[in-house]
Amino acid sequence: MTKFDDLKSHYDTIKSRRIEDMLDLRRADDFSAQAGELLFDYSKTNIDSDARDMLIGLLDQSKVAERRDAMFSGDKINETEGRAVLHTALRNLDGGSVDVDGTDVIPEVRQTLDRMADFANAIRSGEFTGQGGKITDVINIGIGGSDLGPAMAYLALAPYVDGPRCHFVSNVDPADISQVLRQCDPETTLVIVASKTFTTIETMTNARTAKAWMSEAVTEPAGQFAALSTAMDKTAAFGIPAARVFGFEDWVGGRYSMWGPIGLSLMIAIGPDAFRAFLRGGQAMDTHFRSAKWEENLPALLALVGIWHNQVCGHATRAVLPYDNNLARLPAYLQQLEMESNGKGVSMDGTDLPFDSGPVVWGEPGTNGQHAFYQLIHQGTRVIPCEFLVAAEGHDPELHHQHQLLVANCLAQSEALMKGRSLDEARAIIAGKFEGDELERQAAHRVFKGNRPSVTIAYPKLDPFMLGQIVALYEHRVFVEGVVLGINSYDQWGVELGKELATALQPIVEGSQGAEDKDGSTAKLVKFLKTRGL
């Protein structure tokens, strides 16, 4: 028996029950929770009190509280790499010491944050300039967690940007960097190279391209570079002085890193004060996660809903649907956060998992999705749990009527997923247009089965503090799910094999080595591409 067997048995007894039949005002109160001004409503799911009690039992059975406390204390819970997991320390603005190997890491975290703030202020004020004057553009070159986090947050906080324009380059495809470089003046551009080891092949290839581009117009191009790295020897060899190198320790995973130096581009764009507000939002969620009882704990509840839908109900995907256009990159950010963290097939003890691990995470913002893939969500054969995000207030008061329409669409979609439309209702709609067998046929196409679950995360307005809360909420959700599943959410060995094979294939692609030892498919593809211009 697995830890989910009792839950699956319970689900089998209630899965045909209609969610809307359960939903009254009392349920809406009982199956929602709040952290500050952030509301999490999971009343439009088939989880009842018995299911919730059993799900909470999983938290106790898996010792989530003990594991949570170990994480915040600096214990090395990333056991396969022998590392602590302390991205929370990067936003620990008010708490006490956190020891790793007997050393309090908080003083260095705060010193680095102060150095970042000084550098950001120097750029924003014009004290630090390029060869052509005040910095107008910042190019962040990174990949994965060194790109997705700050790129998502920069767009999310666009209304608060009052510094230089920021651009984000990640793909080794030359189209990515060339399109960005065409938008910038090398004499007034700062390039930030984000690579902890300063060896990431995609990042360093793009960094050298940017340096060559800048060299055509700037006498000392390295003078307009900064690095987010711990490899001081390599950054020095690249020409970047130590004063413009901002490091972070190995207890910060890439996809959890934008709270520190990886967030430098964001800090330059919105200013140190707004960046600290972002950190305080994350810190507030940390405090809530550590102190709220499970029945009121947003990260725990969000994780338990995910486990219910994936491991218990067997729904293999989840759609993240922000009705907030500034959160357009949030689904992509969460793809990495959740799928790289919990996309595992082996438990902590090295044995195969006896159940499915993390779900496929995907999505798009707002009403765009309604005209793209909502057809599948509403009438497709698979149930896809949905997670809606919506703000009470937008950033354009003169267009408040449009924001009201946006919110109406968001609430209508979750209601439609739950209620659906019966065959009788479909017949009634078209009764005057068709009759007999044709009426039945046409009506069948207009039926929505409904009873499809969703949750809604609602908040007053997307500001830096609120974004910090939302991101930390999802981080802790991943942690809870990982502990319950018995996996390590903080390594990513699955990324390594493709990198190794790409390195081996490069000389074959370049033509300095033959493809005789490769499989037939790979050899044929190389030959095809080489004969057509590669």
Side-chain angles (χ1 to χ4, degrees), residues 7-20:
L7 277 159
K8 288 181 177 178
S9 296
H10 179 67
Y11 173 63
D12 287 340
T13 66
I14 57 92
K15 61 184 178 182
S16 61
R17 178 180 59 194
R18 302 285 299 182
I19 297 171
E20 63 178 318

Side-chain angles (χ1 to χ4, degrees), residues 35 38-42 71 87-88 91 152 255-256 258-259 278 281-286 288-289 297-306 309 318-323 327 329-342 359-364 385-390 454-459 462 465-483 489-490:
L38 189 65
L39 174 69
F40 174 58
D41 175 12
Y42 62 107
M71 176 178 70
H87 49 279
T88 55
R91 53 191 187 237
M152 178 275 294
R255 56 195 176 278
Y256 298 90
M258 70 168 158
W259 309 99
F278 169 66
Q283 179 182 245
M285 185 54 66
D286 293 343
H288 170 81
F289 180 45
N297 194 301
L298 266 63
L301 292 171
L302 184 58
L304 293 178
V305 170
H309 287 146
R318 69 169 64 120
V320 178
L321 308 169
Y323 276 70
L327 288 176
R329 294 299 305 278
L330 181 67
Y333 172 77
L334 294 180
Q335 280 179 350
Q336 187 197 26
L337 179 66
E338 301 200 28
M339 294 171 71
E340 191 166 270
S341 295
N342 289 343
V360 175
V361 179
W362 59 283
E364 281 287 332
C386 296
E387 297 181 0
F388 295 96
L389 294 96
V390 65
S454 69
V455 302
T456 300
I457 296 170
Y459 45 93
L462 188 64
F465 183 89
M466 186 54 63
L467 180 66
Q469 281 196 300
I470 291 170
V471 173
L473 166 65
Y474 275 97
E475 287 180 347
H476 292 319
R477 185 249 197 103
V478 166
F479 166 82
V480 173
E481 288 189 344
V483 174
S489 299
Y490 299 102

Side-chain angles (χ1 to χ4, degrees), residues 98-352:
V98 179
D99 289 349
V100 176
D101 294 328
T103 300
D104 181 9
V105 303
I106 297 301
E108 185 175 351
V109 166
R110 293 178 181 164
Q111 182 184 38
T112 300
L113 182 62
D114 289 342
R115 288 183 58 227
M116 290 168 57
D118 289 343
F119 185 50
N121 281 329
I123 292 169
R124 289 164 58 84
S125 68
E127 178 185 346
F128 178 95
T129 65
Q131 180 172 289
K134 188 173 182 180
I135 296 296
T136 58
D137 293 87
V138 174
I139 301 174
N140 184 91
I141 300 177
I143 198 166
S146 299
D147 167 78
L148 284 165
M152 178 275 294
Y154 177 74
L155 176 58
L157 299 179
Y160 299 90
V161 170
D162 57 3
R165 295 185 304 168
C166 288
H167 313 267
F168 298 88
V169 173
S170 58
N171 202 324
V172 76
D173 183 337
D176 193 9
I177 192 165
S178 65
Q179 290 168 12
V180 168
L181 296 181
R182 281 197 292 269
Q183 301 175 50
C184 301
D185 178 350
E187 293 192 333
T188 58
T189 295
L190 172 75
V191 178
I192 300 174
V193 184
S195 172
K196 184 183 291 186
T197 62
F198 226 63
T199 59
T200 309
I201 187 167
E202 299 94 340
T203 298
M204 297 315 300
T205 299
N206 280 322
R208 286 188 288 271
T209 297
K211 191 175 183 182
W213 164 78
M214 193 171 284
S215 298
E216 295 178 1
V218 174
T219 305
E220 296 183 9
Q224 290 174 215
F225 274 70
L228 314 178
S229 177
T230 55
M232 300 297 291
D233 56 337
K234 293 183 175 63
T235 57
F238 196 86
I240 304 173
R244 295 201 302 276
V245 179
F246 304 87
F248 52 102
E249 299 298 328
D250 64 6
W251 36 257
V252 179
R255 56 195 176 278
Y256 298 90
S257 61
M258 70 168 158
W259 309 99
I262 293 297
L264 179 61
S265 56
L266 178 66
M267 179 187 279
I268 293 170
I270 65 175
D273 289 344
F275 189 82
R276 285 180 183 271
F278 169 66
L279 298 184
R280 289 200 176 278
Q283 179 182 245
M285 185 54 66
D286 293 343
T287 300
H288 170 81
F289 180 45
R290 299 181 75 178
S291 61
K293 58 185 181 181
W294 294 138
E295 294 83 355
E296 300 171 357
N297 194 301
L298 266 63
L301 292 171
L302 184 58
L304 293 178
V305 170
I307 288 167
W308 170 260
H309 287 146
N310 186 9
Q311 281 76 27
V312 179
C313 303
H315 307 320
T317 81
R318 69 169 64 120
V320 178
L321 308 169
Y323 276 70
D324 196 322
N325 201 61
N326 289 340
L327 288 176
R329 294 299 305 278
L330 181 67
Y333 172 77
L334 294 180
Q335 280 179 350
Q336 187 197 26
L337 179 66
E338 301 200 28
M339 294 171 71
E340 191 166 270
S341 295
N342 289 343
K344 310 294 172 59
V346 176
S347 62
M348 294 287 282
D349 63 8
T351 59
D352 290 344

